[in-house]
Each structure stands twice: as C-alpha cells, then as structure tokens.
C-alpha cells in the first residue's frame, strides 16, 4: 500500500505535510513523530494500519520534514499541540493520536489542557516512550545527538549513517540509504543537513517538555480517553519507575513494555509495536466505527 501525500494549511498560513494510508472513510489515526524525525518514521506502521481499515495520517510536525518552519521560530509545546488539534478538527470524528516523544508530549498537552478547556481533542491516545517524568540523562543524550553536525552537516549519506550507527549501536546500519535521505536536506553546498529547523533546539522558543514534569503530570491526570503507554524496555528516557508513576496518574491506562527496543520503539521493533497498537485500537476505536 502506497501513501497519498496531502497538505494542511494552519494558522499563519503554516503548511503541514502528511502521508495518508488506508481508506478515506476509515477511522482516522494521526501519527506524530518525535523531535528531529519526520513522518517517514511511520511508513511501515502507517501502511499496516491502512491495510487494517484505518485512515492513518503520518504528519511532519512544524519545522520538520516537508512542513513549513515556524515563521517566528516558535516551537513551544503549545504550538505543536495546537497544530495537532487543528489537523484533528478536519475529521468528521475525533481521531486517535499516536505520539512518539515530542508528538506524545504535544498530544498529552493537547488532550489534557486544550480538550479539557473545550477543544474536541482525540478519541484515544497512544504514547510511545514518553511520560511526564523523563530521565534527564537520556534527554541530554538525545539533544547531544541532535546537536551533532548541526552547523557543518554531513559530506555524504554514508557519513550521516555512520553517525547514527554510533548513536544507536544496537540497530543494524542500513545497506540502502534512500530512507535516510528523507531525513536529511541536500543543500546547494553539496552537504546534507538534518531535515528540521535548527531553531527547534537552539532558538529562544524551543520546546520545554522535559523541563515541565509538573505541567505534564497535570495534563496526564486530566486524560479521560482510552490511553496506552508503549515503552521500549531498553529506553534511556522512560524508566520503569516513570512508567509506574504514569499508571498511578492515569489509572485507566494500559501499558506495553517492548523487549529489545529503545526510545525509537516503532523503528526498533515495528511489527511488535504495530501489533500492540492495533490490538488497542481494535478494542478502543474499531476501524468500522468511523461512520
């Protein structure tokens, strides 16, 4: 199943790029990637959801991939949350949100703050390796990786692949680098750069999710919709204790711990991850109920 590319125009004429999988009338499921990623992180998951009858929409968050960069460099969590809700409003029924890392934080704020205040929000929420309380050593490791080669870029896709392999030694280095090319921008100087706005981590209005655990805890406590937390058992961001605390804050939530997976759960163990999401969706938001 191939994806259909689509484009959304939000406030400030900001364009959001997305790939859609599955029947147009299927139950909508939005897929929101993590910081520094693009919608292509969801290709395998989106394809399988589409084949299962869902309308899966993998979006490039603002400043990432083929979506517009914020005209004023505003990458606060509020903006990401508002963007997700604005896209969600375009569906006839509330979509399910599957959010990894940045996408999950934005989803928590969107549902726990904005929906509580009157926005329609989502039908269900899947949080992928993200909780209100994050391991700051893991956060700093991720930020360090994202900051590497930020200004100088990479001379080739092979150099970029080597850098990623050093960061994720447990994941096999891909032989075909065409997928990696989608996460990089080839500039006029012949060098490759990360496919996101550097102001996302260097600007004065960068996201502060990891530094706002109390805010995220309050948002999580407000969650009333079906919620699933998927953790990578080898995650350096979400500890066992953080997952336990989330279960206390959101007692109706479900939890899946994926073995041999780190923070990039969907990429590390996509089949297991997608099966867990499909099981949750089948029970909480069946594809056939999107009439």
């Amino acid at each position: 199943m191939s994806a259909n590319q689509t484009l959304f125009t939000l406030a400030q004429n900001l364009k959001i790029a997305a790939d859609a999988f599955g029947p147009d009338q299927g139950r909508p499921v939005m897929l929101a990637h993590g910081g520094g990623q693009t919608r292509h992180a969801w290709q395998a998951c989106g394809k399988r959801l589409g084949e299962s009858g869902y309308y899966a929409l993998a979006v490039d968050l603002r400043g990432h991939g083929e979506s517009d960069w914020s005209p004023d460099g505003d990458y606060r969590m509020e903006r990401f949350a508002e963007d997700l809700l604005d896209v969600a409003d375009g569906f006839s029924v509330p979509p399910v949100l599957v959010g990894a890392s940045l996408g999950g934080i934005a989803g928590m704020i969107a549902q726990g703050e904005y929906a509580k205040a009157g926005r329609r929000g989502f039908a269900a929420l899947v949080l992928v390796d993200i909780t209100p309380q994050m391991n700051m050593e893991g956060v700093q490791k991720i930020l360090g990786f994202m900051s590497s080669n930020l200004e100088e870029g990479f001379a080739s896709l092979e150099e970029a692949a080597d850098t990623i392999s050093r960061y994720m030694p447990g994941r096999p280095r891909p032989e075909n680098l065409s997928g990696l090319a989608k996460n990089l921008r080839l500039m006029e100087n012949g060098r490759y750069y990360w496919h996101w706005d550097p102001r996302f981590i260097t600007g004065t209005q960068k996201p502060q999710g990891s530094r706002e655990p109390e805010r995220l805890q309050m948002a999580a406590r407000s969650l009333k919709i079906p919620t699933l937390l998927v953790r990578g058992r080898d995650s350096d961001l979400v500890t066992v204790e953080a997952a336990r605390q989330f279960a206390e804050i959101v007692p109706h939530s479900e939890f899946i711990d994926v073995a041999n997976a780190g923070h990039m759960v969907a990429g590390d163990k996509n089949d297991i991850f997608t099966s867990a999401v499909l099981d949750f969706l089948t029970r909480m938001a069946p594809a056939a109920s999107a009439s």
Side-chain angles (χ1 to χ4, degrees), residues 20-92:
F21 303 83
D24 292 344
Q25 300 306 313
R27 184 68 181 255
V29 179
M30 292 174 59
L31 304 169
H33 60 74
Q37 293 184 310
T38 71
R39 68 186 191 276
H40 300 294
W42 299 110
Q43 291 297 296
C45 178
K47 180 180 178 180
R48 191 168 162 196
L49 290 178
E51 292 171 344
S52 299
Y54 289 93
Y55 181 78
L57 188 74
V59 301
D60 276 338
L61 299 178
R62 66 165 57 206
H64 291 71
E66 296 179 73
S67 289
D68 286 346
W69 291 7
S70 292
D72 51 3
D74 190 350
Y75 293 105
R76 290 173 295 170
M77 279 299 173
E78 291 87 341
R79 300 293 84 79
F80 290 107
E82 290 167 354
D83 289 349
L84 291 177
L85 289 172
D86 287 345
V87 173
D89 284 344
F91 294 108
S92 59

Side-chain angles (χ1 to χ4, degrees), residues 103-126:
I105 296 173
M108 264 193 287
I109 291 175
Q111 188 65 35
E113 294 183 5
Y114 288 78
K116 182 181 178 182
R119 292 293 297 267
R120 185 178 67 168
F122 310 112
L125 182 63
V126 179

Side-chain angles (χ1 to χ4, degrees), residues 219-234:
R221 284 195 175 92
S222 298
L223 296 177
K224 305 302 179 186
I225 59 175
T227 302
L228 169 67
L229 170 62
V230 182
R231 173 181 176 263
R233 192 170 297 171
D234 299 329

